[in-house]
Amino acid sequence: RAMWIVVLFDLPTDTKQAKRQYTYFRKALLEDGFAMMQYSVYYRHCASKENAEVHLQRTRTTVPPDGEVRLMHLTDKQFSRMEVFSGKRRVRAEETPAQLEMF
């Protein structure tokens, strides 16, 4: 069963060390195939629940020591129910990728 992972985070950037940790975390998400949905909100499609768990575990290992990170995993059906607005205008949500991942 295909899954979506959504990562929401609020990380401090008030010191050089905190900025480095923020940058490392964000870069790790991008390198693991996540895309930015909004500032501090990233998402990734996974082909199966098992594949989602691999990416969730990778994300858990890169969580910085300060700030807050939330990991959500949603089914395709749950993700497709998301409503997205740009101002007052409703826009299309992200769609399931047409291409399957190959391992």
Side-chain angles (χ1 to χ4, degrees), residues 3-101:
M3 303 287 295
W4 289 86
I5 301 172
V6 180
V7 181
L8 305 98
F9 56 93
D10 185 11
L11 302 175
T13 56
D14 55 341
T15 66
K16 279 188 179 183
Q17 177 70 9
K19 284 180 188 173
R20 273 195 297 274
Q21 291 170 343
Y22 169 90
T23 301
Y24 174 80
F25 182 67
R26 184 180 176 282
K27 187 175 180 181
L29 290 173
L30 293 171
E31 288 175 355
D32 196 30
F34 284 83
M36 187 171 76
M37 184 183 293
Q38 291 181 223
Y39 293 117
S40 300
V41 180
Y42 287 70
Y43 71 104
R44 185 186 201 293
H45 185 262
C46 298
S48 67
K49 187 176 181 180
E50 293 77 20
N51 180 244
E53 189 53 47
V54 168
H55 294 285
L56 285 164
Q57 189 55 38
R58 282 185 193 156
T59 303
R60 289 180 189 115
T61 64
T62 60
V63 170
D66 297 316
E68 185 172 292
V69 176
R70 295 174 186 243
L71 305 176
M72 295 191 315
H73 29 107
L74 308 165
T75 64
D76 275 339
K77 189 171 186 175
Q78 290 168 327
F79 192 85
S80 71
R81 291 181 182 153
M82 181 178 5
E83 293 184 59
V84 181
F85 293 85
S86 179
K88 290 279 188 185
R89 194 181 83 237
R90 186 169 179 172
V91 296
R92 294 185 77 154
E94 294 76 9
E95 295 190 17
T96 302
Q99 178 179 329
L100 292 176
E101 290 182 30

